[in-house]
Each structure stands twice: as C-alpha cells, then as structure tokens.
Amino acid sequence: MEKEYDIVFIKPEKFGDCTKCVEYIKEEKIVHINLYDLDEIESQRILDYISGAVFIQEGQIVNPGEKVFCTIPKTKTFYFDEKARAKKTSLDSRYDEEEEIVPTYKGR
C-alpha cells in the first residue's frame, strides 16, 4: 500500500536509525535528514550508509544547510536556489576579501 506522503523528516539519534531512512529511500520518498545533534564520526557513518542506498536507487543527495541533507529519488524533481543560500552566508559586503600583504625584510 503506497503511503500518501512524499517527504519524510528524520533526526537520527544513533547509527541504527539510518535503516529507517533507507526504507523510505527504497520507497522513493524524499528524506530530510537532520544530523545536527550527532558527532562527526556518527554523522559520517550515517551519511556513508545512506549514500550507498541513494546510489543504488540512482537518486541524489542535496545539502541545504549545516548537517542537514535531503535524499532525492530519481523520480522526483526539485529546485535548489543556491544563490539565495549564498546570500545568507556571504560575508559583509564592506569586508575586503583581498589577501593582506605583509611586508618581509631580508637581512644582509
């Protein structure tokens, strides 16, 4: 029986929770995964596992924010406005991004 939703929001607490994500990926659901509360090692393990499932399903993973990932099935289309994201995270326009030149003096 097909479920009536297209997107699932998951916030795993441990590696074992990623098996639920894979089941939704198999069902061609968009899976929004929030890894914010996990450490780097646990987050990487989960991403590695989920990446394999997405690869097998020929989907893709989008990273819309810090420690937030969305799996997109090959049967779904999406629009990701990266320009809007870049504006939010860009540096203050008054900041000069040129490299600071530091003089060096060579002794004789």
Side-chain angles (χ1 to χ4, degrees):
M1 182 170 133
E2 179 71 20
K3 297 193 172 65
E4 296 189 29
Y5 48 84
D6 291 323
I7 187 167
V8 178
F9 294 88
I10 295 181
K11 190 171 185 180
E13 295 177 1
K14 60 187 181 304
F15 178 75
D17 293 341
C18 67
T19 57
K20 291 187 282 185
C21 297
V22 171
E23 291 303 315
Y24 292 122
I25 291 168
K26 286 181 190 177
E27 295 173 11
E28 296 190 344
K29 306 294 183 193
I30 297 170
V31 183
H32 178 277
I33 306 161
N34 183 336
L35 301 174
Y36 197 76
D37 290 338
L38 296 176
D39 64 34
E40 291 298 317
I41 294 171
E42 199 76 358
S43 295
Q44 190 61 55
R45 287 183 68 211
I46 289 172
L47 277 177
D48 290 345
Y49 189 81
I50 288 170
S51 293
V54 171
F55 177 78
I56 289 169
Q57 295 295 109
E58 299 178 17
Q60 53 187 310
I61 297 177
V62 179
N63 177 223
E66 184 181 345
K67 294 187 127 187
V68 174
F69 300 87
C70 287
T71 66
I72 312 291
K74 69 179 179 180
T75 58
K76 307 284 185 197
T77 60
F78 70 97
Y79 173 71
F80 182 40
D81 189 354
E82 292 185 63
K83 291 179 185 174
R85 179 179 174 204
K87 284 182 184 177
K88 291 178 188 175
T89 60
S90 67
L91 298 172
D92 186 330
S93 61
R94 293 174 290 166
Y95 179 75
D96 186 0
E97 293 185 43
E98 289 182 26
E99 183 179 333
E100 181 181 358
I101 299 172
V102 179
T104 58
Y105 300 98
K106 293 182 181 180
R108 292 185 187 202

